[in-house]
Amino acid sequence: MHNRLEIKEFLNEAKYRTVLDVRTPAEFERAHIPGAKNLPLFSNEERAEIGTIYKQISQEEAFKRGLELVSQRLPSYIQKAKEMVHGKSVAVHCWRGGKRSQSMAEFLQLADFDVVSLVGGYKAYRTYVLDQMESIPLKILVVGGQTGTGKTAILNSLKDLGEQIIDLEGLAHHKGSAFGWIGEEEQPTVESFENELFSTMTGLDSSKRVWVENESRKIGKVFIPDGFWEKKARGVLFNLKLPTRERVKRLIDDYAGHSTEALVLSFKKLKKKLGGKALNDALESLEANDLGKAAEVALFYYDKTYEHCIANGRFREIYNIEIQNDPEETAKKLIAIADQKNY
């Protein structure tokens, strides 16, 4: 009999094993434990069929149908597992830690794999993620500033200089504004974003400071979970100030290579907030290929929004810092201040 582990011990073992998620491809695609590989016991259609039998006939008949499907494919499961796993140490889970994961674990153990499985399955993992998001102690320092300040570039420079960061926009595949989807991959599900954020958090040294960008709670289609949001909201804000002309230049550099159609679509998303005249000015500027003028329209709106957010924020301290358009020098300045304040 293989070892069945509670979530905390399972995740510790997962650092040294290949995690095999035996749920359906659809379940896995929606969200999964970061780093896990999908070895589905049933296809999407088979899982639906077994569920229907369970509800409409009986649990016994559903089990028989599942056994019938699985028995035909035992050699293929073993072969696929060998292709996925380096060595033979695996950690297996399904949705609730029931028959799917236990069956696969027993099959693999018979094939001489070293196997553990998760009590409570992926459902237990999700409960643990949301509970722990609030309790993980992190020393959060927030990199803020108006649109076009270059916060992401500064964050990356902090990382290059040896600082710990959490790149929320990178995890969300979105830069936060109405224009944030341009040039990005498809966004993850909210659940997948939360899993990746949790994985990033647990990989950090909680005794050292962590830099994050000052994001809104909603980043495109995903949301920062409450546990992490509260940490950020009560953090220390470094409010960076870059002259408007420099911010316009940065926005032009960021978006000049993308289609005018994408920019037009993004401006139209702001129609109610910009007002008709400002929107028309922006669209006319884009039509004339005057990206600088269009950027100024966007900045006028986002600057007002940002100042409102700062005024209504709950940061425990705010440092207003004048900077130049040089991410590395700004990062060095932030590190010097953080060291001086013993953050």
Side-chain angles (χ1 to χ4, degrees):
M1 183 70 179
H2 71 279
N3 288 331
R4 302 189 69 224
L5 306 179
E6 298 293 337
I7 181 59
K8 190 172 182 179
E9 190 177 359
F10 180 88
L11 290 177
N12 188 56
E13 281 290 313
K15 298 174 184 176
Y16 315 104
R17 297 172 179 266
T18 301
V19 177
L20 297 179
D21 184 334
V22 303
R23 297 177 301 154
T24 64
E27 290 173 293
F28 182 83
E29 185 177 347
R30 182 164 57 248
H32 53 266
I33 297 174
K37 298 180 180 180
N38 191 207
L39 180 61
L41 193 66
F42 301 118
S43 70
N44 300 331
E45 295 76 17
E46 289 167 347
R47 178 64 174 161
E49 178 192 351
I50 292 169
T52 300
I53 294 172
Y54 182 92
K55 291 177 181 178
Q56 297 183 359
I57 303 177
S58 70
Q59 180 179 354
E60 182 180 355
E61 288 301 314
F63 178 75
K64 286 181 181 179
R65 178 54 178 153
L67 192 61
E68 178 185 345
L69 292 168
V70 167
S71 62
Q72 303 169 12
R73 297 195 293 251
L74 285 180
S76 70
Y77 294 141
I78 304 303
Q79 182 57 39
K80 288 177 182 177
K82 288 179 179 179
E83 293 169 0
M84 291 178 173
V85 178
H86 299 294
K88 283 200 169 183
S89 294
V90 297
V92 178
H93 76 86
C94 60
W95 167 236
R96 288 192 179 90
K99 286 185 169 56
R100 282 190 288 176
S101 60
Q102 291 181 51
S103 298
M104 184 67 82
E106 296 302 326
F107 298 153
L108 294 177
Q109 191 169 53
L110 288 172
D112 202 31
F113 282 82
D114 175 16
V115 186
V116 298
S117 68
L118 173 58
V119 174
Y122 179 74
K123 186 177 181 181
Y125 168 77
R126 282 293 299 161
T127 299
Y128 184 76
V129 165
L130 296 177
D131 287 346
Q132 290 296 304
M133 197 80 74
E134 187 170 352
S135 61
I136 294 174
L138 290 180
K139 301 176 181 178
I140 299 277
L141 301 182
V142 183
V143 179
Q146 296 168 314
T147 300
T149 306
K151 298 181 288 295
T152 299
I154 293 164
L155 207 64
N156 290 330
S157 291
L158 285 165
K159 182 179 180 180
D160 292 342
L161 292 169
E163 297 288 307
Q164 296 188 125
I165 71 165
I166 296 178
D167 182 2
L168 295 169
E169 291 183 355
L171 294 175
H173 301 168
H174 197 284
K175 294 186 282 291
S177 70
F179 304 84
W181 62 277
I182 298 175
E184 297 288 340
E185 300 174 13
E186 183 179 354
Q187 285 201 267
T189 63
V190 172
E191 191 174 309
S192 183
F193 172 73
E194 290 173 345
N195 293 350
E196 292 289 348
L197 175 57
F198 174 74
S199 179
T200 300
M201 291 171 68
T202 55
L204 298 172
D205 183 345
S206 61
S207 69
K208 299 179 180 179
R209 63 194 175 219
V210 180
W211 300 86
V212 302
E213 188 170 337
N214 189 22
E215 298 291 346
S216 300
R217 188 184 289 268
K218 185 172 183 286
I219 309 176
K221 295 179 181 179
V222 304
F223 295 84
I224 298 175
D226 291 343
F228 186 83
W229 174 261
E230 288 301 317
K231 294 180 192 297
K232 186 190 80 68
R234 296 193 301 267
V236 175
L237 174 66
F238 292 80
N239 188 31
L240 309 180
K241 295 182 176 293
L242 183 68
T244 300
R245 64 180 181 280
E246 295 296 331
R247 293 192 289 129
V248 168
K249 289 179 185 178
R250 177 167 285 279
L251 290 180
I252 292 173
D253 290 341
D254 287 345
Y255 291 102
H258 299 289
S259 71
T260 300
E261 289 78 8
L263 295 171
V264 167
L265 180 59
S266 296
F267 268 110
K268 286 183 176 179
K269 291 180 182 179
L270 296 173
K271 181 177 180 179
K272 290 184 179 179
K273 296 175 180 177
L274 284 175
K277 183 180 185 307
L279 175 62
N280 288 335
D281 288 345
L283 298 181
E284 289 173 3
S285 299
L286 290 175
E287 188 176 352
N289 200 32
D290 187 349
L291 295 182
K293 180 62 181 298
E296 289 175 2
V297 174
L299 288 181
F300 181 76
Y301 163 69
Y302 280 113
D303 286 355
K304 289 192 298 181
T305 302
Y306 181 76
E307 293 305 324
H308 175 76
C309 291
I310 295 299
N312 290 277
R314 294 183 287 126
F315 297 104
R316 73 173 186 269
E317 290 183 87
I318 298 178
Y319 295 95
N320 295 307
I321 305 169
E322 301 286 341
I323 65 169
Q324 301 298 316
N325 197 358
D326 186 330
E328 183 176 354
E329 286 304 311
T330 299
K332 290 177 179 178
K333 180 181 289 189
L334 295 182
I335 291 171
I337 296 171
D339 286 343
Q340 182 183 24
K341 299 294 182 179
N342 199 30
Y343 291 134

